[in-house]
Structure formats: structure tokens, C-alpha cells
Amino acid sequence: MTATNAIGTSTPSGSLMVTPVPGAALALAAVFSRKNHPGLGDQDIPIDTNQSIGQLVSVEPRMIGAGHRIVFRFNNTVTSVAMSASTVGNVSHAFTGNEVTVTLTGVPDNQRATVSLGGVNGALNPSASIGFLVGDVSNSRSVVANDVAAVKARNGQTANAGNFRFDLNVSGGINNLDVSAVKARSGMVLP
């Protein structure tokens, strides 16, 4: 290596051997359903991406409202995403750092959505399925008496990181409106 300036070029330094180390291969680390909650900020529900176990999916039990964000987290920085798609609703995506965030809007209740990313860093094509069933706080893919009882048991509580799933209308507190919401959907089953 030499340095050059107005005076001239320096004497070359000794040689240095460098062995390049390839970066770790890009891999999917986790997938979440992320919803902004008043007073709590962003709250995540992990999505099980192992579809080999009876095709079961994680359920988002809260009101869909302005939409949901599905976050794909990788072990390294994401530099490109070719596309994203969902089987239900409208979809848009953005990526920053090691996360790709897919925003779903227009998804009606009692639906299953599959979100697929294509060409993440030109190589990965991960996907995740999530069910939207307001009131299914037990993640059983149906709204039953146990869900009603679980929400009733938290009536009067302020939503926090441990009970935010039971704040069905995402109002910041668990109250009779949440109990009414789960009761109104009793008997519904995720298709």
C-alpha cells in the first residue's frame, strides 16, 4: 500500500494477506403480526411458519381496522425484495435493516391470508399464513365459550404487553365492548 499527496508517493508498506470471509447466508429468523396499540406502541404476535403441522396457523384475534403489518425478520440486512403478495386484501411492502414489513388492508374478518415474499436479496422466497378471526384469543381457530370467558376474566384491565390480545378493539383497555365483540362472533370458525 502507498499514499500519494502533493509531495509524492510514499514507500510501499509491507504486504498484508487478507482472507475474505463470506457473510452468513440469509435466513428467515422470525415472522410477526405487528399492530400499533395505543399506549403500548407496536405489539407483536409470533406467526408459526411451520405449515407441516396440520396446516395450522397463528390467529390475530384483534380488530383489523386500518390494517395489519406482517413482519419478516432475517438474520442479515435485506437489500432487495422482488415482490410481495397476499391471498386476501390489499398489500404493500417496505424493507429496512433486517426486516421486511408487509402491510395488509381490506382484509375482512374470518379470513386466512398467506403472505409471500419473492426474491429477498435475490434468493429467498419465504411465506407465512395467518388467520384473522376477531375474538379467537385462544388461537383455536374458532370462537367458543372459552374465548368469551378469557376476555371476561380480564374485563376492567388496562391493556399491557401481557394481555393486549384480549383488547379486541385495540382501545387501550379491556372492557364490555371487548366482551361484546367476542360474544358476537361466538361460533365462527376460521376457514
Side-chain angles (χ1 to χ4, degrees):
M1 181 175 72
T2 60
T4 303
N5 59 23
I7 298 173
T9 301
S10 71
T11 306
S13 68
S15 62
L16 176 65
M17 297 297 296
V18 177
T19 303
V21 178
L26 188 69
L28 184 63
V31 185
F32 302 93
S33 170
R34 179 173 287 167
K35 193 164 181 64
N36 187 268
H37 198 287
L40 298 177
D42 287 339
Q43 295 295 308
D44 296 337
I45 293 177
I47 298 174
D48 184 1
T49 57
N50 185 354
Q51 295 300 301
S52 65
I53 306 174
Q55 296 296 312
L56 300 180
V57 297
S58 301
V59 175
E60 169 59 80
R62 298 168 292 177
M63 291 290 189
I64 295 163
H68 283 279
R69 292 171 288 162
I70 308 302
V71 179
F72 291 78
R73 181 175 294 153
F74 297 89
N75 64 333
N76 280 323
T77 301
V78 174
T79 57
S80 64
V81 178
M83 61 75 132
S84 61
S86 171
T87 56
V88 178
N90 303 310
V91 63
S92 62
H93 75 278
F95 59 92
T96 180
N98 67 336
E99 292 185 347
V100 177
T101 301
V102 178
T103 302
L104 297 176
T105 55
V107 180
D109 187 27
N110 196 31
Q111 295 294 319
R112 183 186 298 218
T114 298
V115 178
S116 301
L117 301 180
V120 179
N121 287 10
L124 286 185
N125 302 298
S127 67
S129 292
I130 183 169
F132 294 97
L133 182 56
V134 172
D136 181 18
V137 296
S138 64
N139 200 62
S140 66
R141 288 153 296 282
S142 61
V143 183
V144 295
N146 287 343
D147 297 302
V148 176
V151 177
K152 276 185 174 179
R154 289 161 179 82
N155 191 13
Q157 293 182 0
T158 300
N160 59 43
N163 67 17
F164 68 94
R165 287 176 64 102
F166 301 91
D167 183 9
L168 301 180
N169 59 6
V170 197
S171 66
I174 303 168
N175 54 38
N176 288 335
L177 295 176
D178 299 301
V179 176
S180 296
V182 68
K183 280 183 176 178
R185 287 160 176 82
S186 185
M188 292 190 77
V189 177
L190 190 68

